[in-house]
Amino acid sequence: MEPEPPQDYSIPERFSRWIPIRDELETETSQLQDETIQECLPYLARCLSSDPDEQSDFTTLPTLARDEHIQFLHRSLGTMPSAFVGYDAARPWIVYWVLTALSLLGEDVSQYRERVTKTFSSMQNASGGFSGGHGQISHCAPSYAAILSLAMVGGTESLNLIDRKALWHWLGQIKQQDGGFRVCINGEEDVRYGSLVLARKAGLESFMDGLPEYMSRCQTFEGGISGSPQTEAHGAYAFCALACLSILGAPHVMISGYLDINRLISWLSSRQSAPEGGFSGRTNKLVDGCYSHWVGGCWPLLEAAIDGPATGGPITKSPKPSLYSQSALAMYITACCQAESGGLRDKPSKYPDAYHSCYTLAGLSSLQNHNYYHDTVGSSQLSSLDHAFQWRSMPTFSKAEMQSGTTDANSQERLTPIHPIFVIPWAAVEATASFYETKEIL
């Protein structure tokens, strides 16, 4: 029997004694969890300092294998083996994942401008929107990926490719009376906020009626966000809902107004696994590198909702501590998710791929930069969809980096900052916004 801890009346009683977090019933889920922990521990052990007093700082994080990851990602845009035929409908996603990951690693992706523009020109349907592959119907997910990819490669030809008028009519066909959107004509209704990104980049300011209320109805009894009302909460849907609300208005107004923040924080906090350090996407699920973004990316949006907007000039002082363990997540990403041959993965036993490379690196970039909502003119004076462009970013450094003096924002270990809502580089967001400001509103 464990000894009783000393009495401390400043600590709630339920936190002053050991809690039985494991029951005696063994299931496939509990077995997989044990196997995952054992799989990760050898990798995590390499990160811990030999000094017990310093172990919380994780002072020996593995080096980011930048060159290997870049080579892996360039190969991912080449000719794929026949086993990838099942990914035909995900071609816009593969392009988006690779371009985002390369951008995070500092690569100039404009070298792919001609290929990307040519590829997506055949995937845009005359009825509006983009499909996942040749001859397929328009769908929100590939449309989202295609438009953001075109924004990343940039250029007049790429951005002019988007048929905004047809896109507008197509979005009107999938908008639903309850406030949400279908993913395609006659398809399922889904909380994913791609439609709002499309609407913004297409120069549109409609289709918003009832959307915040729909997001609110997707919050579950656990506190997380589901894909549609009365379904299971999922980390990716949480990010999409928070990002959507942050497009529609200031986060301290919209997120606080339409979601129960306390319950959402509780649910998101429970997604960080110990001792692995990474996030899972759902209750009783395993840690996975991709949730470094899907769950990790929720925290800057939530923190902006809690802290309120920054005013005046840019922030120059270090932000207060985050609501989750950033050092533990950094440890999981660098120790467990990097494949020796290049690329990033779910966990050590899995193979690397473009999807996990994109979102794991996005999560690491979020750790390295403080994203905050900057109110320069007052929220009430902004038009309905301008709030997404009020965000700012500043580099942050861990305690270990501060102590060692390694606070160079341009070091090989640092990643390119990305926009916390659009999840593409800031420069691409700014260039795309400037381009469409000159276009007539349809």
Side-chain angles (χ1 to χ4, degrees), residues 35-36 46 50 59 84 134 151 191 211 305 310 340 350 358 392:
E35 291 171 8
T36 299
R46 302 170 192 169
S50 58
T59 55
F84 279 79
H134 302 300
V191 78
L211 189 55
E340 293 182 3
K350 303 296 184 179
C358 169
R392 302 293 182 269

Side-chain angles (χ1 to χ4, degrees), residues 279-342:
F279 290 111
S280 65
R282 290 180 284 166
T283 302
N284 289 330
K285 291 294 183 178
L286 303 175
V287 65
D288 185 331
C290 72
Y291 295 111
S292 302
H293 162 68
W294 290 123
V295 175
C298 290
W299 294 111
L301 306 179
L302 268 179
E303 288 166 0
I306 295 169
D307 297 340
T311 57
I315 292 178
T316 56
K317 64 179 182 179
S318 297
K320 62 185 180 181
S322 180
L323 293 172
Y324 67 102
S325 176
Q326 294 185 326
S327 58
L329 180 58
M331 178 181 65
Y332 180 74
I333 292 172
T334 56
C336 296
C337 295
Q338 296 193 87
E340 293 182 3
S341 58

Side-chain angles (χ1 to χ4, degrees), residues 195-230:
S195 298
L196 261 293
V197 177
L198 305 183
R200 176 62 223 183
K201 291 192 176 297
L204 312 176
E205 293 197 4
S206 57
F207 310 124
M208 296 177 292
D209 291 346
L211 189 55
E213 291 81 5
Y214 180 80
M215 298 291 167
S216 181
R217 293 196 299 276
C218 289
Q219 186 164 26
T220 74
F221 69 95
E222 290 184 287
I225 310 296
S226 60
S228 57
Q230 307 302 317

